[in-house]
Amino acid sequence: MELIIGFVYIAIALTLLSTSNAAEPAQIRLLRPRFGSGGRRVEGLDCLSWRLAVETNNLRSWKVVPQSCEDYVGNYMLGRQYRRDIEVVAEAAVEYAKSIQVAGDGKDLWVFDIDETSLSNLPYYARSDVQFGAIEYNETGFNQWVAEGTAPAIPAILRLYKTVLSLGFKTAFISGTLDAYTDIKILNLNQAGYYNWEKLILKGENDHGSSVDYKSQRRTELVNEGYRIVGNIGDQWSDLIGTNVGNRTFKVPDPMYYIG
Ligand SMILES: *[C@@H]1O[C@H](CO)[C@@H](O)[C@H](O)[C@H]1NC(C)=O
Ligand SMILES: *[C@@H]1O[C@H](CO)[C@@H](O)[C@H](O)[C@H]1NC(C)=O
Ligand SMILES: [Mg+2]
């Protein structure tokens, strides 16, 4: 039934195209409808539409992945699509970085978020008691995972990191992780392959308020120190909005949680 509807849809689309372009002989490539886990409604919710709305910041302040999308998000995160989506972002960032004339005064800076940008918490999120974010955030459980210090690098972002360093940029990590975890974070970043950063900024006890405010304040401090934030990459919109966001921002996908 879905298949038939799909073909009817294409027939209508072709009719619309051919009437609007009547003057030119239309060369239209035929598309075959494809059905996968995304795009299919589960209990009334289309999980691909949900993920797209999340990535575009149209859905905000959501607390958990909808239960009916747990499988979809899990398959996305563990499958090839997530990796490919990140690679496209990283490649665009590399291209942009290469287009910049680095001043050579050590003040051209690239800001990296850590969690789900530079390091992946997927080993934690894939656990059955976490379910890719379909279960409400458990601070105790998550902090135990952070304390292990074993989060792997996200390979495409590690390559971006090394590329911007080799191009002469300085790098700064700005993370919402508490600075009580500074030592373990340094070990974790190193064992994942990240070295030679200019700044590692973690959240202090007195950093209350939103992530947008916290990250904006820290970036503003960097700018006041004379740094020029040329690039900024993160998985949350709160990494990329606010003040002094940088000349260009890059958003990597994260359908597992929302931080405002
Ligand atoms: C949160 O995680 C801790 C550590 O894994 C666990 O002992 C606790 O039961 C969890 N809390 C809830 C509400 O699931
Ligand atoms: C970054 O933006 C500032 C302010 O708009 C501009 O002056 C500067 O030339 C830009 N730098 C780069 C590398 O594009
Ligand atoms: Mg993050």
Side-chain angles (χ1 to χ4, degrees), residues 17 48 79 89-90 105 145 157 159 173-174 183 197 199 201 205 210 238 243 255:
L17 279 170
L48 176 53
V89 180
D105 59 358
W145 154 254
I157 305 303
R159 285 198 296 277
F173 290 110
I174 306 182
D183 293 349
W197 53 81
K199 303 272 181 184
I201 298 168
E205 269 181 358
S210 71
S238 55
T243 53

PDB file of all heavy atoms in Angstrom, residues 17 48 79 89-90 105 145 157 159 173-174 183 197 199 201 205 210 238 243 255:
ATOM      1  N   LEU A  17       5.801  19.185 -12.214  1.00  0.00           N
ATOM      2  CA  LEU A  17       7.053  19.658 -12.808  1.00  0.00           C
ATOM      3  C   LEU A  17       6.894  19.898 -14.306  1.00  0.00           C
ATOM      4  O   LEU A  17       7.349  20.902 -14.833  1.00  0.00           O
ATOM      5  CB  LEU A  17       8.172  18.637 -12.579  1.00  0.00           C
ATOM      6  CG  LEU A  17       8.826  18.688 -11.199  1.00  0.00           C
ATOM      7  CD1 LEU A  17       9.732  17.486 -11.010  1.00  0.00           C
ATOM      8  CD2 LEU A  17       9.620  19.970 -11.037  1.00  0.00           C
ATOM      9  N   LEU A  48      12.311  10.370  11.819  1.00  0.00           N
ATOM     10  CA  LEU A  48      13.227  11.172  11.011  1.00  0.00           C
ATOM     11  C   LEU A  48      12.809  12.639  11.042  1.00  0.00           C
ATOM     12  O   LEU A  48      13.659  13.533  11.169  1.00  0.00           O
ATOM     13  CB  LEU A  48      13.274  10.648   9.570  1.00  0.00           C
ATOM     14  CG  LEU A  48      14.115  11.428   8.566  1.00  0.00           C
ATOM     15  CD1 LEU A  48      15.540  11.650   9.047  1.00  0.00           C
ATOM     16  CD2 LEU A  48      14.129  10.712   7.213  1.00  0.00           C
ATOM     17  N   GLY A  79      24.819   3.272  13.513  1.00  0.00           N
ATOM     18  CA  GLY A  79      24.965   2.945  12.099  1.00  0.00           C
ATOM     19  C   GLY A  79      25.850   3.913  11.347  1.00  0.00           C
ATOM     20  O   GLY A  79      26.515   4.774  11.928  1.00  0.00           O
ATOM     21  N   VAL A  89      30.098  17.413   8.038  1.00  0.00           N
ATOM     22  CA  VAL A  89      30.330  18.629   8.826  1.00  0.00           C
ATOM     23  C   VAL A  89      31.831  18.892   8.954  1.00  0.00           C
ATOM     24  O   VAL A  89      32.307  20.011   8.724  1.00  0.00           O
ATOM     25  CB  VAL A  89      29.702  18.500  10.242  1.00  0.00           C
ATOM     26  CG1 VAL A  89      29.940  19.772  11.051  1.00  0.00           C
ATOM     27  CG2 VAL A  89      28.210  18.203  10.146  1.00  0.00           C
ATOM     28  N   ALA A  90      32.575  17.829   9.290  1.00  0.00           N
ATOM     29  CA  ALA A  90      34.023  17.986   9.497  1.00  0.00           C
ATOM     30  C   ALA A  90      34.715  18.417   8.205  1.00  0.00           C
ATOM     31  O   ALA A  90      35.620  19.257   8.227  1.00  0.00           O
ATOM     32  CB  ALA A  90      34.618  16.686  10.025  1.00  0.00           C
ATOM     33  N   ASP A 105      49.953  35.281  14.823  1.00  0.00           N
ATOM     34  CA  ASP A 105      50.219  35.882  16.139  1.00  0.00           C
ATOM     35  C   ASP A 105      49.696  34.984  17.269  1.00  0.00           C
ATOM     36  O   ASP A 105      49.676  35.371  18.433  1.00  0.00           O
ATOM     37  CB  ASP A 105      49.581  37.273  16.234  1.00  0.00           C
ATOM     38  CG  ASP A 105      48.075  37.244  16.024  1.00  0.00           C
ATOM     39  OD1 ASP A 105      47.523  36.137  15.757  1.00  0.00           O
ATOM     40  OD2 ASP A 105      47.418  38.293  16.122  1.00  0.00           O
ATOM     41  N   TRP A 145      30.239   7.348  34.617  1.00  0.00           N
ATOM     42  CA  TRP A 145      30.836   7.103  33.297  1.00  0.00           C
ATOM     43  C   TRP A 145      31.936   8.128  32.994  1.00  0.00           C
ATOM     44  O   TRP A 145      33.022   7.768  32.532  1.00  0.00           O
ATOM     45  CB  TRP A 145      29.730   7.105  32.228  1.00  0.00           C
ATOM     46  CG  TRP A 145      30.201   7.469  30.846  1.00  0.00           C
ATOM     47  CD1 TRP A 145      29.985   8.648  30.186  1.00  0.00           C
ATOM     48  CD2 TRP A 145      30.969   6.649  29.949  1.00  0.00           C
ATOM     49  NE1 TRP A 145      30.573   8.619  28.947  1.00  0.00           N
ATOM     50  CE2 TRP A 145      31.186   7.410  28.781  1.00  0.00           C
ATOM     51  CE3 TRP A 145      31.512   5.368  30.030  1.00  0.00           C
ATOM     52  CZ2 TRP A 145      31.901   6.922  27.687  1.00  0.00           C
ATOM     53  CZ3 TRP A 145      32.231   4.881  28.939  1.00  0.00           C
ATOM     54  CH2 TRP A 145      32.417   5.657  27.785  1.00  0.00           C
ATOM     55  N   ILE A 157      36.172  14.389  13.894  1.00  0.00           N
ATOM     56  CA  ILE A 157      36.454  15.634  14.617  1.00  0.00           C
ATOM     57  C   ILE A 157      37.905  15.653  15.088  1.00  0.00           C
ATOM     58  O   ILE A 157      38.550  16.705  15.105  1.00  0.00           O
ATOM     59  CB  ILE A 157      35.475  15.823  15.797  1.00  0.00           C
ATOM     60  CG1 ILE A 157      34.022  15.758  15.310  1.00  0.00           C
ATOM     61  CG2 ILE A 157      35.746  17.156  16.509  1.00  0.00           C
ATOM     62  CD1 ILE A 157      33.647  16.751  14.233  1.00  0.00           C
ATOM     63  N   ARG A 159      40.290  14.398  13.393  1.00  0.00           N
ATOM     64  CA  ARG A 159      41.024  14.809  12.177  1.00  0.00           C
ATOM     65  C   ARG A 159      40.918  16.313  11.970  1.00  0.00           C
ATOM     66  O   ARG A 159      41.905  16.981  11.626  1.00  0.00           O
ATOM     67  CB  ARG A 159      40.468  14.067  10.941  1.00  0.00           C
ATOM     68  CG  ARG A 159      40.897  12.605  10.863  1.00  0.00           C
ATOM     69  CD  ARG A 159      40.715  12.058   9.449  1.00  0.00           C
ATOM     70  NE  ARG A 159      39.319  12.038   9.008  1.00  0.00           N
ATOM     71  CZ  ARG A 159      38.465  11.050   9.310  1.00  0.00           C
ATOM     72  NH1 ARG A 159      38.846  10.015  10.032  1.00  0.00           N
ATOM     73  NH2 ARG A 159      37.212  11.083   8.870  1.00  0.00           N
ATOM     74  N   PHE A 173      38.968  23.998  24.238  1.00  0.00           N
ATOM     75  CA  PHE A 173      37.792  23.200  24.581  1.00  0.00           C
ATOM     76  C   PHE A 173      36.955  23.996  25.577  1.00  0.00           C
ATOM     77  O   PHE A 173      37.489  24.484  26.582  1.00  0.00           O
ATOM     78  CB  PHE A 173      38.204  21.878  25.243  1.00  0.00           C
ATOM     79  CG  PHE A 173      38.860  20.892  24.305  1.00  0.00           C
ATOM     80  CD1 PHE A 173      40.208  20.598  24.415  1.00  0.00           C
ATOM     81  CD2 PHE A 173      38.108  20.246  23.327  1.00  0.00           C
ATOM     82  CE1 PHE A 173      40.815  19.681  23.569  1.00  0.00           C
ATOM     83  CE2 PHE A 173      38.711  19.321  22.470  1.00  0.00           C
ATOM     84  CZ  PHE A 173      40.059  19.039  22.582  1.00  0.00           C
ATOM     85  N   ILE A 174      35.679  24.123  25.296  1.00  0.00           N
ATOM     86  CA  ILE A 174      34.763  24.684  26.299  1.00  0.00           C
ATOM     87  C   ILE A 174      33.684  23.641  26.536  1.00  0.00           C
ATOM     88  O   ILE A 174      32.962  23.262  25.607  1.00  0.00           O
ATOM     89  CB  ILE A 174      34.119  26.013  25.845  1.00  0.00           C
ATOM     90  CG1 ILE A 174      35.188  27.028  25.428  1.00  0.00           C
ATOM     91  CG2 ILE A 174      33.246  26.582  26.967  1.00  0.00           C
ATOM     92  CD1 ILE A 174      34.619  28.386  25.009  1.00  0.00           C
ATOM     93  N   ASP A 183      41.269  16.556  35.821  1.00  0.00           N
ATOM     94  CA  ASP A 183      42.359  15.591  35.607  1.00  0.00           C
ATOM     95  C   ASP A 183      41.923  14.443  34.714  1.00  0.00           C
ATOM     96  O   ASP A 183      42.633  14.048  33.783  1.00  0.00           O
ATOM     97  CB  ASP A 183      42.871  15.046  36.951  1.00  0.00           C
ATOM     98  CG  ASP A 183      43.562  16.126  37.767  1.00  0.00           C
ATOM     99  OD1 ASP A 183      43.825  17.209  37.200  1.00  0.00           O
ATOM    100  OD2 ASP A 183      43.836  15.892  38.961  1.00  0.00           O
ATOM    101  N   TRP A 197      46.193  21.630  23.241  1.00  0.00           N
ATOM    102  CA  TRP A 197      45.208  22.701  23.253  1.00  0.00           C
ATOM    103  C   TRP A 197      45.765  23.908  23.991  1.00  0.00           C
ATOM    104  O   TRP A 197      46.656  23.790  24.838  1.00  0.00           O
ATOM    105  CB  TRP A 197      43.897  22.246  23.893  1.00  0.00           C
ATOM    106  CG  TRP A 197      44.039  21.646  25.253  1.00  0.00           C
ATOM    107  CD1 TRP A 197      44.163  22.302  26.449  1.00  0.00           C
ATOM    108  CD2 TRP A 197      44.065  20.241  25.557  1.00  0.00           C
ATOM    109  NE1 TRP A 197      44.291  21.396  27.475  1.00  0.00           N
ATOM    110  CE2 TRP A 197      44.225  20.135  26.971  1.00  0.00           C
ATOM    111  CE3 TRP A 197      43.979  19.082  24.805  1.00  0.00           C
ATOM    112  CZ2 TRP A 197      44.282  18.906  27.615  1.00  0.00           C
ATOM    113  CZ3 TRP A 197      44.038  17.854  25.460  1.00  0.00           C
ATOM    114  CH2 TRP A 197      44.187  17.775  26.848  1.00  0.00           C
ATOM    115  N   LYS A 199      43.545  26.111  25.567  1.00  0.00           N
ATOM    116  CA  LYS A 199      42.683  26.281  26.746  1.00  0.00           C
ATOM    117  C   LYS A 199      41.796  25.049  26.910  1.00  0.00           C
ATOM    118  O   LYS A 199      41.293  24.507  25.910  1.00  0.00           O
ATOM    119  CB  LYS A 199      41.749  27.488  26.565  1.00  0.00           C
ATOM    120  CG  LYS A 199      42.439  28.796  26.308  1.00  0.00           C
ATOM    121  CD  LYS A 199      42.785  29.508  27.598  1.00  0.00           C
ATOM    122  CE  LYS A 199      43.455  30.852  27.296  1.00  0.00           C
ATOM    123  NZ  LYS A 199      43.876  31.527  28.512  1.00  0.00           N
ATOM    124  N   ILE A 201      38.494  24.628  29.132  1.00  0.00           N
ATOM    125  CA  ILE A 201      37.614  25.368  30.030  1.00  0.00           C
ATOM    126  C   ILE A 201      36.460  24.470  30.456  1.00  0.00           C
ATOM    127  O   ILE A 201      35.658  24.031  29.627  1.00  0.00           O
ATOM    128  CB  ILE A 201      37.092  26.648  29.329  1.00  0.00           C
ATOM    129  CG1 ILE A 201      38.276  27.561  28.978  1.00  0.00           C
ATOM    130  CG2 ILE A 201      36.083  27.363  30.215  1.00  0.00           C
ATOM    131  CD1 ILE A 201      37.923  28.692  28.038  1.00  0.00           C
ATOM    132  N   GLU A 205      32.150  25.669  40.019  1.00  0.00           N
ATOM    133  CA  GLU A 205      31.027  25.552  40.968  1.00  0.00           C
ATOM    134  C   GLU A 205      30.071  26.740  40.869  1.00  0.00           C
ATOM    135  O   GLU A 205      28.890  26.611  41.130  1.00  0.00           O
ATOM    136  CB  GLU A 205      31.582  25.502  42.399  1.00  0.00           C
ATOM    137  CG  GLU A 205      31.847  24.092  42.895  1.00  0.00           C
ATOM    138  CD  GLU A 205      32.376  24.082  44.321  1.00  0.00           C
ATOM    139  OE1 GLU A 205      32.575  25.174  44.903  1.00  0.00           O
ATOM    140  OE2 GLU A 205      32.604  22.974  44.832  1.00  0.00           O
ATOM    141  N   SER A 210      22.223  29.107  32.332  1.00  0.00           N
ATOM    142  CA  SER A 210      22.096  28.286  31.127  1.00  0.00           C
ATOM    143  C   SER A 210      23.452  28.009  30.500  1.00  0.00           C
ATOM    144  O   SER A 210      24.444  28.702  30.756  1.00  0.00           O
ATOM    145  CB  SER A 210      21.215  29.007  30.116  1.00  0.00           C
ATOM    146  OG  SER A 210      21.905  30.124  29.598  1.00  0.00           O
ATOM    147  N   SER A 238      23.260  25.327  21.958  1.00  0.00           N
ATOM    148  CA  SER A 238      23.757  26.221  23.013  1.00  0.00           C
ATOM    149  C   SER A 238      25.284  26.391  22.954  1.00  0.00           C
ATOM    150  O   SER A 238      25.828  27.281  23.595  1.00  0.00           O
ATOM    151  CB  SER A 238      23.337  25.701  24.393  1.00  0.00           C
ATOM    152  OG  SER A 238      23.749  24.368  24.590  1.00  0.00           O
ATOM    153  N   THR A 243      26.772  35.051  22.503  1.00  0.00           N
ATOM    154  CA  THR A 243      27.688  36.106  22.067  1.00  0.00           C
ATOM    155  C   THR A 243      29.054  35.526  21.704  1.00  0.00           C
ATOM    156  O   THR A 243      29.442  34.474  22.202  1.00  0.00           O
ATOM    157  CB  THR A 243      27.871  37.157  23.184  1.00  0.00           C
ATOM    158  OG1 THR A 243      28.241  36.483  24.382  1.00  0.00           O
ATOM    159  CG2 THR A 243      26.597  37.937  23.420  1.00  0.00           C
ATOM    160  N   PRO A 255      20.973  13.495  18.442  1.00  0.00           N
ATOM    161  CA  PRO A 255      19.551  13.306  18.739  1.00  0.00           C
ATOM    162  C   PRO A 255      19.321  12.647  20.099  1.00  0.00           C
ATOM    163  O   PRO A 255      18.215  12.190  20.369  1.00  0.00           O
ATOM    164  CB  PRO A 255      19.109  12.371  17.600  1.00  0.00           C
ATOM    165  CG  PRO A 255      20.305  11.527  17.343  1.00  0.00           C
ATOM    166  CD  PRO A 255      21.531  12.364  17.682  1.00  0.00           C
TER     167      PRO A 255
END
